[in-house]
């Protein structure tokens, strides 16, 4: 992966007034196109996509400015006209220059961020870094959030050398990594069970005065469970409670799966019961997930206890689980 490859300069061909006039009278002027009284983000996305497909950069510029004024902000679909083909990506230089002419501040910065997110979604990391280079040279609001989609891609693909290269790049361009940036590395290392590398990331985070957030703990609990250290995972979750850091459903599921995998069925029920009572949605999903897994393991006695606990707490049992509950409610 080449980092910050320089964008080749292409001189702009000047258009004659006759060429411009021909285009003007043969296409609709976007300013004359009636907009709905209450436009939506989807409405604007469709217009931007159409303009992108037709390579109408003037209209694209107009729409990207207007949508922000109408509080219809960019989405993951805004630049969906870009696909993972060389012919589609041949517009990238013209597109980045068009975004440079957008209104300063949030309008321009959010457009660049959305473009980078799209390039990462189609796994064109080098092209995303070209846009980063353009933003850095133009001082267009580059910050840590801009790099999150890039880190997401390279860490999911286990390209950890590239991930650390991106972290170093962030520092060089004045957008130092934040907690979410390090979380991407943590999750990759924890998923693969590399405890030494995980400890290295934590050391760097601590040295920079960072505090663990929800996803930091989620990665660490996963790492502990992957390493077979379920007791350590339980300690981490207790620490989350003490620090008042909200837990993700996945964090609980890691522990549930680890306990069930070791045959600790009653302990799994005790775990979900012990860490409930703070978030109704999380309780419903955690108890429901445990019940489903116990039924699959034919641990009907424990599953019945989970359903009874849900009823006692007033938690909603979904329709699919309700059928299962009816079948085992009289089980002794």
């Amino acid at each position: 992966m080449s980092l910050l490859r320089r964008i080749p300069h292409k001189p702009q061909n000047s258009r004659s007034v006759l060429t411009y006039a021909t285009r003007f009278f043969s296409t609709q002027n976007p300013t004359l196109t009636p907009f709905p009284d209450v436009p939506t983000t989807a409405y604007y996305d469709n217009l931007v996509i159409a303009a992108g497909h037709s390579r109408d950069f003037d209209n694209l510029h107009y729409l990207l400015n207007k949508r922000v004024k109408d509080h219809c902000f960019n989405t993951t679909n805004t630049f969906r006209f870009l696909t993972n083909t060389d012919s589609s990506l041949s517009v990238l230089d013209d597109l980045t220059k068009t975004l440079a002419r957008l209104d300063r501040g949030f309008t321009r910065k959010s457009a660049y961020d959305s473009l980078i997110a799209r390039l990462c979604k189609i796994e064109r990391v080098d092209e995303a870094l070209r846009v980063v280079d353009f933003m850095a040279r133009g001082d267009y609001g580059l910050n840590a959030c801009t790099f999150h989609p890039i880190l997401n891609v390279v860490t999911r693909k286990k390209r950890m050398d590239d991930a650390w290269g991106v972290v170093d790049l962030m520092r060089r361009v004045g957008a130092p990594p934040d907690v979410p940036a390090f979380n991407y590395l943590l999750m990759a290392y924890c998923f693969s069970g590399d405890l030494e590398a995980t400890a290295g990331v934590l050391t760097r985070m601590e040295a920079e005065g960072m505090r663990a957030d929800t996803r930091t703990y989620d990665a660490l609990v996963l790492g502990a469970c992957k390493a077979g250290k379920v007791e350590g995972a339980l300690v981490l979750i207790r620490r989350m409670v003490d620090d008042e850091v909200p837990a993700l459903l996945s964090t609980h599921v890691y522990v549930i799966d680890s306990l069930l995998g070791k045959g600790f069925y009653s302990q799994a029920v005790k775990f979900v019961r012990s860490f409930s009572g703070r978030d109704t949605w999380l309780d419903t999903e955690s108890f429901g997930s445990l019940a489903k897994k116990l039924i699959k393991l034919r641990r009907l006695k424990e599953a019945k206890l989970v359903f009874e606990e849900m009823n006692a707490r007033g938690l909603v049992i979904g329709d699919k689980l309700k059928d299962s509950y009816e079948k085992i409610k009289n089980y002794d």
Side-chain angles (χ1 to χ4, degrees):
M1 180 182 68
S2 60
L3 294 178
L4 281 181
R5 179 189 307 158
R6 292 293 176 184
I7 301 176
H9 174 69
K10 293 184 179 180
Q12 297 293 308
N13 295 325
S14 59
R15 292 181 296 180
S16 69
V17 67
L18 292 178
T19 302
Y20 182 82
T22 300
R23 178 181 176 281
F24 178 85
F25 286 109
S26 62
T27 60
Q28 267 194 319
N29 186 335
T31 59
L32 299 179
T33 303
F35 278 79
D37 292 336
V38 185
T40 63
T41 54
Y43 172 82
Y44 270 109
D45 279 345
N46 289 333
L47 293 180
V48 170
I49 291 167
H53 279 307
S54 63
R55 304 195 176 196
D56 187 349
F57 296 108
D58 290 336
N59 193 13
L60 194 68
H61 175 270
Y62 167 80
L63 291 167
L64 291 173
N65 267 337
K66 190 176 189 307
R67 71 180 300 160
V68 174
K69 294 174 182 176
D70 288 346
H71 304 287
C72 296
F73 305 118
N74 297 308
T75 72
T76 55
N77 291 323
T78 298
F79 294 101
R80 203 176 64 200
F81 58 87
L82 292 174
T83 59
N84 195 7
T85 62
D86 290 339
S87 60
S88 175
L89 294 171
S90 65
V91 305
L92 190 57
D93 286 353
D94 289 329
L95 181 56
T96 53
K97 292 171 185 175
T98 298
L99 301 191
R101 297 187 290 110
L102 292 174
D103 293 342
R104 292 183 178 184
F106 176 79
T107 300
R108 183 165 59 193
K109 195 268 198 278
S110 66
Y112 275 120
D113 284 353
S114 294
L115 173 58
I116 289 171
R118 175 59 185 175
L119 291 169
C120 290
K121 187 172 184 179
I122 60 177
E123 299 186 351
R124 298 298 290 241
V125 174
D126 281 347
E127 284 78 4
L129 289 169
R130 284 172 56 191
V131 178
V132 165
D133 179 39
F134 198 88
M135 290 182 71
R137 287 187 283 121
D139 193 19
Y140 296 147
L142 199 63
N143 63 12
C145 293
T146 307
F147 290 87
H148 291 169
I150 300 174
L151 286 168
N152 184 33
V153 173
V154 294
T155 54
R156 277 194 294 106
K157 290 182 169 294
K158 305 298 184 291
R159 292 161 49 182
M160 302 312 294
D161 287 342
D162 286 341
W164 283 111
V166 172
V167 170
D168 292 339
L169 172 63
M170 294 171 72
R171 298 186 190 284
R172 293 201 305 272
V173 298
D178 54 3
V179 172
F182 280 116
N183 284 345
Y184 286 113
L185 284 91
L186 271 180
M187 180 56 78
Y189 285 133
C190 289
F191 186 82
S192 62
D194 191 337
L195 299 184
E196 183 178 353
T198 298
V201 177
L202 292 173
T203 298
R204 291 189 64 165
M205 293 177 69
E206 186 176 11
E208 297 189 23
M210 296 180 176
R211 291 176 58 87
D213 67 3
T214 296
R215 294 196 176 277
T216 308
Y217 276 109
D218 188 62
L220 296 176
V221 171
L222 171 63
C225 291
K226 283 272 187 179
K229 300 179 181 296
V230 67
E231 298 87 355
L234 292 170
V235 170
L236 285 166
I237 293 183
R238 173 55 62 188
R239 178 65 182 271
M240 289 184 74
V241 174
D242 293 342
D243 290 348
E244 298 183 346
V245 177
L248 298 173
L249 173 61
S250 57
T251 310
H252 282 194
V253 171
Y254 300 147
V255 177
I256 291 170
D257 287 345
S258 186
L259 289 169
L260 295 180
K262 293 177 179 295
F264 298 152
Y265 307 115
S266 60
Q267 288 90 334
V269 176
K270 183 179 179 180
F271 160 71
V272 175
R273 184 187 294 129
S274 299
F275 289 97
S276 62
R278 298 170 184 83
D279 183 317
T280 301
W281 179 87
L282 182 61
D283 291 350
T284 301
E285 296 299 319
S286 294
F287 276 106
S289 176
L290 176 57
K292 189 185 304 182
K293 293 173 186 292
L294 287 169
I295 291 172
K296 189 174 182 179
L297 292 168
R298 305 303 300 168
R299 303 296 302 189
L300 303 185
K301 180 179 179 181
E302 290 86 353
K304 179 183 175 183
L305 288 175
V306 172
F307 282 127
E308 290 173 349
E309 188 81 23
M310 292 182 74
N311 280 331
R313 293 171 179 268
L315 301 177
V316 176
I317 300 174
D319 291 338
K320 291 183 179 180
L321 279 178
K322 193 175 293 183
D323 292 339
S324 299
Y325 179 41
E326 290 298 323
K327 293 177 182 177
I328 67 171
K329 64 190 303 183
N330 296 319
Y331 180 83
D332 293 325

